[in-house]
């Protein structure tokens, strides 16, 4: 398979990257190079080509006009000339699209065969790939890295006034992104926030064509890092007491990184200044005014704030560092009981968070973007609203004053970053590309259908999952779907991690969303008929306001709130469901209330639930009622189990499931997890063959 990556912006080369030399030379370039380096290890990948724009520049001695750079036997970097020979920031690249597309088509014509796929990185590459795909019929994958609408929203939320030129630039970028989102065969996101929140702001948003694949990472240099004399020398001119704990930030000084807010928070807290130094590593520079305007403006603001708050002797902001200094910086901070902070207005992924965790630092990170996934999975830090300086101060002070909490988060991070692995990333990525380029024939319409819950029903036993996968492959007429409280992308991620086959149906968010797998075997289509049906009497804002009055409920995180689902934590009181139902009914609000695993409460439209969604799917696929099997383990499976004649409760069930009314017909499996599902289906199949009743 030949994969062509398109990346127009920044200074791209095969080695010795000049990170931070421009506003567009940052983490996305590292991501791209590490992705292709990992990809070439797969024997199924024959060739990888990086295609970028050639340019001349005065700010570097490196030659960025060289037409071909051989990075390795499998990887080649191609630079194509455009009408303008100079370096251009991303805001000006649109002018070069016509000449770049012409040069790219000429290059494609020299290939013995078209590539299996194009992979476009950032908005301009997305626009180019969409045009090439329309002309040449080559499918393309889109990775946005960061999105224009998200940036526009961040600036608006921060109440920053935008001049006409900036508005026009962002709207042009958003238009390119809209076209890429509409026409891409597949979109790769780094986090659930990106997939479910950021992309959802776009007109052509289609959840079924997005896959969340967290970037891998090379962290060996960070796990074994130690401080060096070079770091001591770097800090010596700035800090009165360099041995104090340190609050460390490493980011390019672009507006989105929100470094000014970090300085303000530190400047506003005498307590924080007394217990810790602040270190900001913001790229490299010789003269600030020689940098691009955005970088120069932000650095001037940082220096002004340091002066206004009189933070000299407490804040370090070194001008230069070498790549090998970064692991040593984390280690230097760790040795002083430091904390790493990422206060960005939005962070699509957050690679520096993994680096810091690998080096043994706890995290304080923005709650907008990829850090939510990292902190949730790793338990290695805390999330903050980056616009609330008091949250930054409070969480930093708590970590500095609470050694046991600091140590727990440091330990958690060191262990959990092992999950972010390039090998796993590329295996999933290549599988998706192979399916898209050579889609398998879809099996015949199923004659029977199995729908099961995921957490603690299908998952929970690796041996059970392996047995389930083998068993399911021997069931040619049995369709397979899942019904889960998880969101669509969360469900896909957990299934992929567990090695479970792509289900034909995904009923997600406790039955409030339904997705069917498309003929390509990769993407999914949402059932809009179902969405329209449950929307008729649903008053989400009114329900939310009514529940704000209930002291026993605490809202779950923003990612767990959906268009047709409100999710809360509770204290586990069994009488709470009846209390909530009465509370909502009194206000004339029609809703379904579901409690599961003791402390989780979901509020749905009256017509929405796993059971009603399963029945909708059964009718849609023309499955006989006696050929429908459902399996679950907890309270949010209750109506699904009650409504289907062939229902299975696995042995590890909770919430007193079998004692609930209407459950007399349910088969109680002796086996746990996936093995219990197999046992239950086989029980009902035997009954049906012998003419017995279920």
């Amino acid at each position: 398979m030949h994969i062509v990556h398109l990346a127009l912006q920044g200074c791209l080369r095969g080695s010795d990257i000049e990170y931070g030399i421009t506003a567009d030379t940052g983490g996305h370039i590292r991501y791209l190079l590490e992705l292709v380096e990992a990809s070439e290890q797969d024997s199924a990948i024959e060739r990888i080509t990086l295609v970028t724009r050639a340019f001349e520049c005065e700010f570097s001695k490196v030659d960025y006009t060289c037409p071909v750079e051989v990075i390795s036997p499998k990887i080649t970097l191609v630079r194509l000339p455009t009408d303008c020979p100079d370096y251009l920031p991303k805001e000006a690249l649109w002018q070069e699209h016509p000449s770049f597309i012409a040069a790219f088509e000429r290059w494609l014509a020299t290939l013995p065969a078209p590539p299996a796929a194009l992979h476009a990185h950032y908005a301009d590459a997305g626009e180019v790939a969409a045009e090439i795909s329309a002309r040449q019929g080559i499918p393309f994958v889109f990775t946005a890295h960061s999105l224009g609408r998200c940036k526009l929203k961040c600036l608006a939320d921060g109440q920053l006034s935008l001049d006409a030129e900036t508005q026009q630039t962002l709207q042009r970028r958003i238009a390119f992104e809209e076209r890429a989102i509409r026409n891409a065969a597949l979109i790769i996101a780094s986090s659930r926030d990106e997939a479910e929140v950021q992309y959802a702001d776009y007109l052509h948003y289609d959840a079924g064509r997005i896959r969340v694949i967290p970037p891998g990472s090379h962290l060996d240099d960070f796990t074994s890092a130690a401080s060096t004399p070079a770091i001591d020398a770097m800090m010596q001119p700035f800090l009165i007491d360099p041995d104090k704990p340190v609050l460390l930030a490493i980011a390019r000084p672009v507006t989105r990184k929100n470094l000014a807010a970090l300085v303000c928070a530190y400047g506003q807290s005498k307590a924080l200044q007394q217990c810790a130094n602040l270190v900001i590593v913001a790229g490299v520079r010789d003269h600030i005014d020689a940098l691009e305007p955005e970088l120069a403006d932000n650095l001037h603001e940082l220096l002004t704030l340091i002066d206004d708050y009189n933070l000299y002797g407490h804040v370090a902001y070194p001008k230069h560092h070498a790549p090998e200094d970064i692991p040593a910086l984390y280690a230097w901070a760790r040795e002083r009981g430091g904390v790493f902070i990422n206060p960005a207005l939005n962070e699509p992924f957050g690679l520096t968070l993994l680096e810091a965790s690998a080096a043994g630092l706890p995290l304080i990170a923005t709650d907008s973007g990829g850090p939510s996934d990292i902190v949730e999975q790793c338990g290695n830090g805390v999330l903050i609203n980056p616009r609330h300086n008091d949250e930054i101060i409070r969480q930093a002070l708590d970590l500095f004053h609470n050694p046991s909490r600091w140590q727990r988060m440091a330990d958690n991070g060191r262990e959990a970053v092992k999950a972010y692995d390039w090998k796993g990333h590329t295996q999933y990525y290549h599988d998706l590309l192979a399916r898209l380029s050579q889609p398998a024939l879809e099996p015949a319409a199923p004659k029977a259908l199995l729908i099961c819950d995921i957490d603690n029903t299908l998952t929970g036993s690796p041996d059970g999952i392996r047995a389930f996968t083998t068993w399911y492959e021997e069931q040619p007429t049995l369709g397979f779907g899942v019904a889960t409280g998880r969101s669509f992308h969360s469900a896909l991620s957990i299934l992929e991690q567990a090695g479970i086959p792509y289900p034909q149906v995904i009923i997600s968010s406790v039955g409030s969303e339904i997705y069917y797998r498309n003929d390509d075997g990769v993407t999914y289509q949402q059932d809009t008929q179902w969405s329209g049906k449950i929307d008729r009497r649903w008053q989400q804002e009114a329900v939310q306001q009514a529940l704000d009055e209930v002291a026993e409920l605490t809202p779950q995180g923003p990612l767990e709130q959906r268009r047709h689902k409100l999710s809360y934590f509770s204290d586990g009181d069994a009488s709470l469901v009846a209390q909530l139902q009465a509370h909502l009914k009194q206000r004339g609000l029609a809703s379904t209330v579901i409690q599961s695993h003791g402390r989780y409460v979901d509020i749905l439209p009256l017509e929405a639930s796993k059971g009603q969604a399963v029945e909708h799917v059964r009718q849609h696929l023309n499955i006989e009622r006696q050929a429908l099997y459902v399996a679950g383990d907890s309270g949010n499976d209750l109506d699904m189990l009650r409504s289907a004649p062939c229902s299975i409760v696995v042995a590890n069930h909770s919430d007193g499931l079998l004692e609930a009314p209407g459950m007399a017909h349910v088969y109680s499996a002796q086996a746990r997890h996936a093995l219990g599902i197999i046992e239950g289906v086989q029980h009902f199949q035997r009954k049906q063959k012998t003419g017995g009743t279920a």
Side-chain angles (χ1 to χ4, degrees):
M1 182 161 52
H2 179 197
I3 306 171
V4 172
H5 292 270
L6 281 171
L8 276 67
Q9 68 184 61
C11 302
L12 179 60
R13 58 194 303 236
S15 60
D16 300 322
I17 310 303
E18 299 180 291
Y19 290 114
I21 195 169
T22 72
D24 301 326
T25 307
H28 76 285
I29 287 180
R30 178 175 172 182
Y31 166 94
L32 176 56
L33 291 173
E34 291 190 359
L35 170 62
V36 299
E37 179 186 0
S39 285
E40 75 170 331
Q41 305 305 314
D42 187 342
S43 60
I45 305 302
E46 301 169 2
R47 181 179 177 189
I48 302 168
T49 308
L50 307 177
V51 179
T52 190
R53 176 177 168 269
F55 58 83
E56 299 171 354
C57 63
E58 298 178 353
F59 51 77
S60 173
K61 297 179 181 179
V62 174
D63 182 8
Y64 289 103
T65 63
C66 176
V68 178
E69 180 182 338
V70 178
I71 298 175
S72 75
K74 279 189 181 181
I75 305 171
T76 304
L77 172 61
V78 172
R79 297 187 180 91
L80 300 177
T82 60
D83 289 345
C84 176
D86 302 327
Y87 175 83
L88 294 172
K90 63 177 177 293
E91 293 80 7
L93 283 173
W94 64 275
Q95 303 169 79
E96 301 304 295
H97 287 181
S99 57
F100 185 88
I101 289 170
F104 187 60
E105 286 199 295
R106 288 194 295 271
W107 177 78
L108 283 173
T110 67
L111 300 179
L118 305 179
H119 189 155
H121 300 265
Y122 266 107
D124 289 279
E127 170 71 7
V128 169
E131 182 62 27
I132 292 294
S133 182
R135 296 184 188 186
Q136 304 281 343
I138 305 171
F140 79 97
V141 176
F142 180 52
T143 297
H145 294 279
S146 70
L147 288 160
R149 283 199 189 279
C150 185
K151 182 174 183 178
L152 189 63
K153 182 186 285 188
C154 287
L155 295 174
D157 289 348
Q159 299 180 333
L160 298 177
S161 58
L162 302 180
D163 57 63
E165 183 179 355
T166 302
Q167 283 272 13
Q168 185 181 35
T169 296
L170 277 172
Q171 291 301 336
R172 184 185 297 115
R173 172 178 170 181
I174 290 166
F176 294 157
E177 290 166 347
E178 285 281 14
R179 186 181 181 191
I181 292 167
R182 183 185 67 212
N183 295 331
L186 191 70
I187 297 166
I188 294 177
S190 296
S191 67
R192 278 183 60 205
D193 181 90
E194 186 182 356
E196 298 177 2
V197 178
Q198 297 175 41
Y199 274 108
D201 285 337
Y202 285 77
L203 296 174
H204 301 290
Y205 174 67
D206 179 359
R209 286 188 295 113
I210 301 177
R211 285 293 180 280
V212 177
I213 316 180
S217 53
H218 293 313
L219 298 173
D220 290 348
D221 290 344
F222 301 94
T223 55
S224 60
S227 182
T228 63
I231 305 303
D232 293 328
M234 189 185 298
M235 300 302 162
Q236 190 275 331
F238 295 99
L239 302 177
I240 295 172
D241 182 1
D243 292 326
K244 280 203 306 189
V246 59
L247 189 60
L248 172 66
I250 300 177
R252 291 173 299 134
V254 294
T255 303
R256 178 172 63 83
K257 297 297 185 179
N258 202 32
L259 294 174
L262 175 59
V263 176
C264 286
Y266 185 78
Q268 291 164 3
S269 175
K270 293 298 183 184
L272 193 52
Q273 294 166 39
Q274 288 172 4
C275 74
N277 292 318
L278 175 64
V279 174
I280 297 177
V281 180
V284 295
R285 62 191 183 277
D286 288 319
H287 304 287
I288 291 179
D289 290 333
L291 297 171
E292 293 179 43
E294 182 182 10
L295 305 184
D297 290 347
N298 280 291
L299 283 169
H300 277 303
E301 182 181 14
L302 291 182
L303 295 180
T304 300
L305 288 169
I306 289 168
D307 191 73
D308 288 347
Y309 285 109
N310 193 25
L311 297 175
Y312 298 106
H314 302 285
V315 179
Y317 41 96
K319 292 176 65 173
H320 298 100
H321 66 270
E324 59 269 20
D325 291 332
I326 296 298
L329 273 164
Y330 292 122
W332 181 84
R334 181 196 68 231
E335 291 165 4
R336 286 156 178 78
V339 173
F340 183 79
I341 183 165
N342 178 334
L345 296 172
N346 176 266
E347 185 62 63
F349 179 61
L351 182 59
T352 53
L353 299 178
L354 296 183
E355 295 174 350
S357 281
L361 287 174
L363 310 176
I364 298 172
T366 175
D367 63 2
S368 177
S372 296
D373 286 2
I374 293 173
V375 170
E376 178 185 356
Q377 177 164 348
C378 302
N380 55 345
V382 293
L383 300 174
I384 48 100
N385 183 326
R387 293 183 179 82
H388 293 175
N389 289 356
D390 58 331
E391 285 194 38
I392 295 175
I393 295 167
R394 180 170 55 83
Q395 294 293 356
L397 286 173
D398 186 75
L399 279 169
F400 287 128
H401 292 322
N402 191 335
S404 62
R405 189 179 187 222
W406 187 99
Q407 192 62 56
R408 183 176 70 255
M409 290 182 174
D411 292 342
N412 287 349
R414 281 187 178 276
E415 287 301 310
V417 292
K418 297 172 184 176
Y420 292 88
D421 172 59
W422 273 120
K423 183 177 181 181
H425 178 104
T426 53
Q427 284 176 343
Y428 189 18
Y429 168 63
H430 294 163
D431 178 57
L432 292 171
L433 291 186
R435 287 168 175 262
L436 284 173
S437 60
Q438 296 179 331
L441 294 176
E442 275 293 281
K447 296 180 181 179
L449 180 65
L450 166 64
I451 302 283
C452 52
D453 177 49
I454 297 178
D455 295 276
N456 297 314
T457 302
L458 187 57
T459 63
S461 165
D463 289 341
I465 288 171
R466 285 189 288 270
F468 178 87
T469 301
T470 301
W471 169 80
Y472 178 65
E473 289 173 352
E474 299 169 354
Q475 312 294 316
T477 62
L478 179 65
F480 167 54
V482 295
T484 177
R486 291 178 176 271
S487 70
F488 170 73
H489 291 103
S490 177
L492 275 176
S493 294
I494 200 72
L495 292 171
E496 172 62 28
Q497 291 168 22
I500 296 167
Y502 293 92
Q504 291 163 273
V505 182
I506 296 178
I507 298 170
S508 59
S509 300
V510 203
S512 61
E513 298 172 15
I514 299 174
Y515 296 85
Y516 301 103
R517 193 177 67 203
N518 289 324
D519 290 343
D520 60 20
V522 174
T523 60
Y524 284 78
Q525 184 69 42
Q526 187 170 6
D527 188 329
T528 55
Q529 182 185 9
W530 174 251
S531 301
K533 177 182 177 180
I534 66 175
D535 196 50
R536 290 171 193 160
R537 290 191 286 169
W538 177 237
Q539 301 176 62
Q540 184 183 31
E541 291 184 8
V543 171
Q544 187 170 359
Q545 289 173 6
L547 295 174
D548 287 343
E549 304 167 4
V550 181
E552 294 86 349
L553 293 179
T554 301
Q556 293 183 34
L559 278 174
E560 304 313 318
Q561 315 304 330
R562 309 291 293 169
R563 171 68 186 92
H564 295 110
K565 178 175 77 78
L566 297 171
S567 295
Y568 298 85
F569 298 112
S570 76
D571 59 7
D573 184 350
S575 66
L576 184 61
V577 171
Q579 177 188 335
L580 294 175
Q581 288 170 333
H583 181 71
L584 292 170
K585 185 176 181 180
Q586 187 179 17
R587 285 156 180 73
L589 298 170
S591 302
T592 296
V593 180
I594 298 173
Q595 188 174 33
S596 59
H597 297 291
R599 64 187 302 257
Y600 301 108
V601 176
D602 295 304
I603 315 296
L604 312 170
L606 190 62
E607 293 83 356
S609 67
K610 284 187 179 181
Q612 294 180 90
V614 167
E615 176 60 17
H616 178 86
V617 168
R618 183 191 71 76
Q619 294 181 28
H620 177 79
L621 297 178
N622 295 314
I623 302 295
E624 294 291 334
R625 289 195 79 239
Q626 294 296 328
L628 171 68
Y629 312 102
V630 300
D633 76 296
S634 72
N636 70 17
D637 303 315
L638 190 56
D639 78 312
M640 174 176 76
L641 296 165
R642 282 172 172 159
S643 61
C646 300
S647 296
I648 306 153
V649 169
V650 292
N652 55 287
H653 63 274
S654 61
D655 298 335
L657 208 52
L658 290 172
E659 288 74 45
M663 296 287 283
H665 68 289
V666 172
Y667 177 76
S668 176
Q670 299 300 304
R672 301 164 62 88
H673 307 296
L675 292 175
I677 298 172
I678 299 171
E679 177 190 332
V681 173
Q682 291 175 337
H683 163 79
F684 287 114
Q685 287 174 336
R686 285 194 299 270
K687 287 277 189 181
Q688 289 156 5
K689 284 181 180 179
T690 60
T693 59

